[in-house]
Amino acid sequence: MSEVRVRFAPSPTGYLHIGGVRTALYSWLWARQHEGTFILRVEDTDRERSTEESTKAVLESMRWLGLDWDEGPGVGGDHGPYIQSERLDIYAEYAGKLIESGHAYRCYATKEEIAAAREAHRKTGTKDGFRFESNWRDRSDAPEDPNARYVIRFRAPHEGTTSWLDEVKGKIDILNSTQQDFILLRPDGMPLYNFGCVIDDLTMGVTLVGRGDDHMINTAPQILLYEALGARVPTFAHMPMVLAPNGEKLSKRHAAVGVLEYRDMGYLPDAILNYLARLGWSHGDQEIFTREELIEKFSWDHVGSTAGRYDAKKFLHVQAEHLRMLSDEDIARWTVPFLARIGIEVQDDDPVLLKTIPYVRPRAETFIDVAEAVDYFFRDVEFDAKGKRKFLVPDNAQALVRLADVVETVEPFTKEPLDATVKAWLEENEIPMKVVAQPARVAMTGRTRSPGLFEVMEVLGKEKTLARLRTGAEIAAATETPSA
Ligand code: GLU
């Protein structure tokens, strides 16, 4: 294992958003490329919004995507626990150190005092944001009440500049005069985000912090904390957001954003990773990458500093390309759960399923498409109303009966001899192919689009082919022609 230690630190307040996946992905790629360590840490100190269910959904999403972690929940590691609410003693210890060294102080200001200060600020009419200036910053006394509640605040420097060289954004300078004495610990011992994050990144030995650029505002306060603790500051890489096509923040209103929704839509993890990797990073003109290629080729240098816009069509295209890269066996394996969803129970190695894959592969984009394209091989035909009305009509009944009689003689029942025999029969009787093709297709598949007729016949087998052609003929003969 190399020195590289990176982490993904989701807050379990909902499903795993594809923007979050992209953040996780870049760090994961970086870790895998350097044979480093990828840590998963759950930031659940917002007790009101964090849920157990969401933690589970996040872990399930990460596992499904194959973004495996070397340290974290369910895996363990030397730097645990990996859930913030279980690390309160560690935060207390570090807050104590900061108080001792004079970088933090207990602030006993009451809610009322803070509210009054906020109100006074509002009345000044200034446009600057409110920053509470606690008088406990410079006091050495303590309140009379030994049980008085307090928060621990950082004694932020007012002079100087905090700078860092961001892997994505370049050099950033922030004036310390813009900082306030932010809260490190609440009265109940829960850390605020900046403090919990720094203590965890520090004690977990994180070398590079990769996260969304919505966190840029937190980086200077975090660096000030590292400095106050005399600790090495990690490298930062702030990735631009994933935006909606119209430039707004990507949300449910614009697209499916929960990663498991894509699983349910029949997408592949590798396709999702490929699409998200390219949304903000490039490697020449290459669009399609395997997971291994992403690991090999990813670099922070080529992460753009402006936001990528979500494009559903492009995403689907990447998905289709990945589907087509799979072996027949793999497509079958991925399709089985989608067949089960429409009531068709088959095994991964079902010979009929395996035979159909090469025929549906060129047109399918998702595994839902594959399942829907092959369903009639496994269950009775469900007729497409329009196709039935147009092609299963009395005029076509005879052709279907005769076609059935012709194919009945073919042995072996495979596409080449079927093709040759049927074509010879059509030629001999001067029947154009189109007279039989669509009625036969509708009779056998229920729809007007399918793989080639003889391919369908071969996969269905003789018995089912004959039965469907003859049933089709009966339906056609019994259909009443609309009176003129
Ligand atoms: N819990 C934070 C979030 O979900 C993590 C930010 C970070 O990576 O530092 O946005």
Side-chain angles (χ1 to χ4, degrees), residues 152-167:
I152 299 181
R153 285 185 187 272
F154 184 57
R155 189 173 269 122
H158 293 156
E159 261 108 63
T161 305
T162 298
S163 309
W164 78 95
L165 189 59
D166 198 282
E167 287 285 342

Side-chain angles (χ1 to χ4, degrees), residues 7 9-11 41 43 193 197 201 209-211 214-215 222:
R7 65 1 173 234
S11 301
R41 176 171 82 228
E43 300 205 332
Y193 160 70
C197 179
D201 285 338
V209 172
R211 61 185 170 207
D214 51 337
H215 281 288
Q222 294 191 4

Side-chain angles (χ1 to χ4, degrees), residues 366-378:
T366 69
F367 295 107
I368 292 183
D369 298 343
V370 179
E372 285 176 354
V374 303
D375 63 349
Y376 54 82
F377 289 110
F378 302 96

Side-chain angles (χ1 to χ4, degrees), residues 20 25 37 64 92 133 138 160 167 203 227 255 258 261 264 273 342 348-349 368 375 383-384 409 411 413 434 444:
L25 172 64
T37 304
W64 180 74
E133 284 174 24
D138 302 313
E167 287 285 342
T203 53
E227 288 171 348
E261 291 178 67
D264 298 344
L273 300 186
I342 55 173
D348 296 1
D349 58 355
I368 292 183
D375 63 349
F383 292 105
D384 159 56
T409 64
E411 217 41 79
F413 203 75
K434 69 171 203 279
M444 291 192 297

Side-chain angles (χ1 to χ4, degrees), residues 184-203:
L184 306 179
L185 282 187
R186 293 200 186 94
D188 63 359
M190 277 294 167
L192 268 92
Y193 160 70
N194 274 332
F195 186 56
C197 179
V198 165
I199 299 310
D200 290 348
D201 285 338
L202 169 63
T203 53

Side-chain angles (χ1 to χ4, degrees), residues 325-342:
M325 273 155 43
L326 296 181
S327 65
D328 292 351
E329 288 72 17
D330 282 339
I331 294 184
R333 187 166 55 80
W334 282 97
T335 304
V336 162
F338 292 93
L339 284 166
R341 244 169 46 172
I342 55 173

Side-chain angles (χ1 to χ4, degrees), residues 413-484:
F413 203 75
T414 51
K415 65 179 186 214
E416 287 85 8
L418 281 165
D419 189 329
T421 310
V422 170
K423 281 196 183 138
W425 165 69
L426 291 172
E427 258 168 50
E428 213 170 284
N429 295 278
E430 291 181 9
I431 308 172
M433 182 66 166
K434 69 171 203 279
V435 173
V436 286
Q438 283 305 72
R441 189 185 304 283
V442 174
M444 291 192 297
T445 70
R447 54 194 81 173
T448 52
R449 288 178 63 168
S450 77
L453 270 195
F454 306 113
E455 288 154 353
V456 171
M457 288 181 181
E458 175 178 335
V459 180
L460 278 176
K462 190 182 266 188
E463 203 183 312
K464 277 193 187 160
T465 301
L466 294 179
R468 290 189 185 183
L469 289 175
R470 287 174 177 148
T471 306
E474 281 166 25
I475 295 171
T479 307
E480 290 192 19
T481 20
S483 46

